[in-house]
Amino acid sequence: MKHNISPHEVSQIKQRIITRFIKNVKGKKSNTKGSNIRHDGKDGHWLEKQMGVKHNASNKPDIDGFEMKNNTTSKTTFGDWSADYYIFSKDSSYGITRSEFLKLFGKPNLQKKGRLSWSGEPCPKIGPYNSFGQKLTIDSGGNTSALYSFKADKRTNKHKLIPKKMQRGVIVLAKWNAQSMKRKLEEKFNQLGWFKCVKNKEGVYTQIVFGDPYNFKKWIKAVQRGVVFFDSGMYETNKRPYSQWRASNAYWDSLITSKY
C-alpha cells in the first residue's frame, strides 16, 4: 500500500465514501436525461457526479485512494490499457498499418456495414489458439503477448489473406510489458482498495461494497487462469485501441470484504 496512513485514517476515508453514497446515491436510479443517449458511459458519469468524482482520463484512484466501480450486468472492467507494442507500431518490422492489421487479423461486423474490428471471435484469450489462429500467453516475467499462428488459423481464405512473411512460425501481434501493467494496475487498485455501487433488478442503487488493495501478483495469476481476460474493442474509423481488461462480476464478488 503506497499511502502512508493509519488504519484509523483509512476507516475515516471509507466512512466518508459510505456517507456520500447514502446521501447522494442510495435509493435512486441514475438520471441520465440530457446526456448523449449513445454514450455508453452516461450512467457512470451520473454516478461520478453524485459521488463527487470529476470525470477524467487519469489512472489514479477516484476518491482519496479508493477506486470506484459502477454496477454492471455481467462483467466489470479493471482498465482500458493499451499494449506497449502492436504489430502495426512504428518499431515493428512487419510494416503494416492499423487498417491492414484489422483486415488481416480482425473480422467484419455485418451489423455495422462490414466494419472491421479486433473484437469478439478473433480476440485472443488464454488457452488454445482460436479459429483466427490467435491466443494470449504469459511468460515467466509476467509479460503478456497476443500471438498469431498461421498453422492454427482455421479461416478458409488465410492463404490469400495473410502475407507470405506472416505464414511462418508464431508472430507477436501485441505485447503488454509486466512493469507498465503493474504500474497501471497498482496505481488504481493497490492504494487503499476499491468500492462498487450496486443496483437491484429495478435499477435502484441499494448497496456499496468494498474490496482490499489488489496487486499485480494477484492480477496476473487471475489472467493466467483466464479469470481476468482481454476484451478488445478495436475497430476501424476510431483510433482508440480499446484494450479492455475485464473479469466476471462473480470474480469481483469474490474480492468483496465488506458491504453497506
Side-chain angles (χ1 to χ4, degrees):
M1 187 172 70
K2 295 180 181 180
H3 283 262
N4 187 25
I5 61 177
S6 68
H8 176 67
E9 289 174 303
V10 175
S11 180
Q12 287 183 317
I13 294 171
K14 188 175 178 181
Q15 188 56 54
R16 287 200 295 270
I17 293 171
I18 294 168
T19 300
R20 198 176 299 177
F21 171 78
I22 292 172
K23 181 181 178 181
N24 301 327
V25 179
K26 189 176 181 182
K28 297 180 180 180
K29 289 184 177 182
S30 55
N31 182 358
T32 56
K33 290 180 180 178
S35 300
N36 182 350
I37 199 167
R38 295 181 179 179
H39 197 303
D40 293 336
K42 61 185 178 180
D43 191 64
H45 287 180
W46 177 88
L47 180 62
E48 287 175 341
K49 185 176 180 180
Q50 301 306 113
M51 292 298 290
V53 177
K54 292 183 179 180
H55 181 64
N56 59 76
S58 170
N59 200 57
K60 305 294 183 183
D62 291 309
I63 302 179
D64 298 331
F66 280 93
E67 176 69 7
M68 181 176 77
K69 304 307 295 184
N70 195 11
N71 188 88
T72 53
T73 53
S74 61
K75 54 190 178 183
T76 299
T77 302
F78 277 95
D80 184 356
W81 297 325
S82 301
D84 298 283
Y85 163 86
Y86 291 101
I87 195 171
F88 52 83
S89 300
K90 290 181 180 179
D91 57 344
S92 171
S93 61
Y94 287 95
I96 65 170
T97 65
R98 185 177 183 275
S99 295
E100 288 170 331
F101 167 79
L102 290 170
K103 182 179 179 181
L104 297 175
F105 304 107
K107 181 181 179 180
N109 185 338
L110 299 181
Q111 296 180 339
K112 299 287 185 178
K113 298 181 180 179
R115 187 181 73 185
L116 293 165
S117 70
W118 193 41
S119 61
E121 191 179 356
C123 184
K125 308 291 184 189
I126 290 290
Y129 286 104
N130 61 26
S131 61
F132 281 66
Q134 301 177 38
K135 70 175 181 178
L136 278 189
T137 62
I138 301 171
D139 66 21
S140 58
N143 304 297
T144 305
S145 298
L147 305 180
Y148 170 76
S149 165
F150 180 78
K151 184 178 180 181
D153 193 339
K154 300 293 193 297
R155 292 175 294 176
T156 56
N157 65 337
K158 68 179 184 179
H159 287 90
K160 291 183 178 180
L161 183 65
I162 303 297
K164 290 288 185 182
K165 62 181 178 180
M166 295 181 180
Q167 294 184 13
R168 298 182 296 273
V170 175
I171 295 169
V172 177
L173 299 182
K175 185 174 182 178
W176 292 261
N177 295 331
Q179 282 306 113
S180 63
M181 289 297 274
K182 182 178 189 295
R183 175 181 55 79
K184 291 173 183 176
L185 185 280
E186 295 192 352
E187 277 183 352
K188 271 186 173 290
F189 294 97
N190 200 35
Q191 303 301 312
L192 299 185
W194 60 275
F195 67 93
K196 187 175 185 179
C197 300
V198 182
K199 299 176 183 178
N200 62 16
K201 292 180 180 179
E202 286 71 45
V204 177
Y205 284 98
T206 58
Q207 193 177 49
I208 186 170
V209 299
F210 285 81
D212 289 338
Y214 187 84
N215 62 30
F216 180 74
K217 185 177 180 180
K218 292 179 182 177
W219 188 82
I220 200 67
K221 284 184 178 179
V223 176
Q224 286 174 323
R225 302 199 321 267
V227 174
V228 173
F229 53 91
F230 176 50
D231 196 11
S232 174
M234 184 188 297
Y235 65 93
E236 59 182 344
T237 72
N238 190 314
K239 293 181 179 180
R240 284 185 60 183
Y242 287 108
S243 292
Q244 306 277 357
W245 292 87
R246 295 187 166 112
S248 70
N249 286 345
Y251 178 67
W252 283 89
D253 289 347
S254 75
L255 302 176
I256 294 171
T257 54
S258 58
K259 303 178 180 180
Y260 302 90

